[in-house]
Amino acid sequence: MYQEYPPCPSLAPYIDKYWEVKGETEYDMRYKILPDGCADFIFSIQEPSQPLNGEMLMQPYRFYFVGPMRIYSELVTRSTNLHMMGVRFSPCGLAAFTKVPLGEFTDMRIDASELDMLFDNSFAEMLCERESLQERIQIIERFLLSRLSAIIPIDRQMLQATDLIIRSNGMLPIRQLTDKLYLGQRHFERKFKHVTGYTPKEFSRITKFRNATRVLRGIKDTDMQQLAIDCGYYDQSHFIKEFRRLSGSNPSAFMSLPIPEDDPLTYI
């Protein structure tokens, strides 16, 4: 079962959503986590699970940081029950709470106890001991709201840049973007990667892909060539190649998946 909840209004500029995945699953079931332009803290509430590469074992009462991803990653369950919750920060949101450059964590999945970033193990344990998702969200929000007075102002130009990219579904050329913001390209790229973990081109690429997944989920009869063009790809071949690179599936296989793309975990 998947649930998601929006943040309170005061945290809406920084938090995209809270989500929970809970329920029975098969041992060694593989899931995909698709790139979405955001970064997540994931709390393992109950049963352990493990990414396919074996580098990180998710243990109960622990938490993990999933940095900005440029391609999909895979998760393998090591039990018959799965219970995780996540705090998904908006593209520039985490930069308001930490001075750590997000570009240092691109494509990384890390045991967050190794990081000096926002939460710690005692916080994770307290969170996991609560009975409901609503209680956990309340604890997280009280903690984050207590830090608002010391918040690091987010560069308004970077906020505007991510907004323009998202509103254009990733199709706004970077040169036009820098012209709109009156910024030199190198300076802009350096600042953008610091707060989002992506170069502007990478963020545009992922935004375009996310729009394509929404379009695919919303239609039944698909003219793949026309869809590719409408979503900003040069042609069908380029679209399929890019889609497979970012999701690990071709578009037709993705359409048959049983879980909506807004779920952070998608069955393989």
Side-chain angles (χ1 to χ4, degrees):
M1 179 181 65
Y2 170 69
Q3 293 179 291
E4 63 179 48
Y5 292 89
C8 68
S10 296
L11 292 172
Y14 316 104
I15 304 295
D16 178 63
K17 67 181 68 169
Y18 307 101
W19 57 265
E20 181 183 55
V21 176
K22 181 180 182 180
E24 294 184 359
T25 185
E26 296 179 18
Y27 190 87
D28 277 347
M29 174 67 79
R30 294 184 181 183
Y31 296 86
K32 288 179 182 175
I33 306 175
L34 302 182
D36 59 7
C38 300
D40 289 58
F41 281 95
I42 299 178
F43 297 87
S44 183
I45 307 298
Q46 184 178 352
E47 299 291 343
S49 54
Q50 183 179 23
L52 190 62
N53 61 17
E55 293 177 355
M56 180 182 73
L57 177 65
M58 291 192 71
Q59 301 175 357
Y61 286 60
R62 299 295 292 276
F63 71 118
Y64 304 85
F65 178 64
V66 179
M69 296 190 304
R70 291 175 294 187
I71 61 171
Y72 73 96
S73 63
E74 295 180 342
L75 183 78
V76 180
T77 61
R78 297 304 189 201
S79 73
T80 56
N81 285 282
L82 189 65
H83 191 182
M84 299 184 295
M85 77 160 292
V87 184
R88 177 165 300 165
F89 284 82
S90 58
C92 295
L94 188 53
F97 294 93
T98 177
K99 294 181 179 180
V100 177
L102 266 291
E104 294 183 1
F105 300 100
T106 303
D107 295 328
M108 296 184 69
R109 301 182 298 278
I110 307 170
D111 184 332
S113 63
E114 300 174 4
L115 300 175
D116 182 18
M117 188 192 298
L118 204 56
F119 305 112
D120 59 25
N121 279 335
S122 63
F123 183 88
E125 291 173 7
M126 176 179 63
L127 205 65
C128 294
E129 289 170 353
R130 294 303 185 270
E131 293 296 324
S132 69
L133 178 61
Q134 288 79 9
E135 287 180 278
R136 296 183 186 108
I137 290 174
Q138 288 174 3
I139 291 170
I140 292 169
E141 295 209 320
R142 282 199 299 268
F143 175 76
L144 294 178
L145 288 169
S146 72
R147 297 173 66 99
L148 281 184
S149 61
I151 207 164
I152 304 166
I154 302 175
D155 190 305
R156 293 195 177 196
Q157 288 179 311
M158 298 304 102
L159 285 171
Q160 187 180 0
T162 56
D163 181 61
L164 287 169
I165 291 171
I166 292 169
R167 283 198 285 137
S168 72
N169 290 321
M171 289 183 265
L172 180 65
I174 301 303
R175 175 58 66 86
Q176 290 187 29
L177 184 61
T178 55
D179 288 347
K180 284 177 178 289
L181 299 173
Y182 303 103
L183 285 172
Q185 187 163 338
R186 288 186 180 180
H187 179 58
F188 169 57
E189 289 182 354
R190 186 169 60 252
K191 292 176 67 177
F192 193 91
K193 188 164 187 175
H194 181 92
V195 300
T196 69
Y198 299 98
T199 67
K201 185 176 180 180
E202 289 168 345
F203 187 76
S204 297
R205 201 173 197 174
I206 290 166
T207 301
K208 187 186 294 185
F209 161 73
R210 296 296 291 181
N211 178 57
T213 64
R214 287 190 291 269
V215 173
L216 279 170
R217 289 294 190 184
I219 58 180
K220 293 182 179 180
D221 300 318
T222 307
D223 180 344
M224 204 64 72
Q225 174 69 20
Q226 188 59 50
L227 184 147
I229 294 171
D230 291 344
C231 290
Y233 296 94
Y234 180 72
D235 56 22
Q236 181 177 339
S237 175
H238 178 219
F239 168 58
I240 293 174
K241 181 180 179 181
E242 181 74 352
F243 198 96
R244 187 181 294 119
R245 189 185 77 84
L246 291 173
S247 73
S249 305
N250 61 42
S252 58
F254 180 83
M255 290 176 69
S256 68
L257 295 174
I259 299 180
E261 96 282 350
D262 283 338
D263 190 329
L265 301 180
T266 300
Y267 289 112
I268 296 176

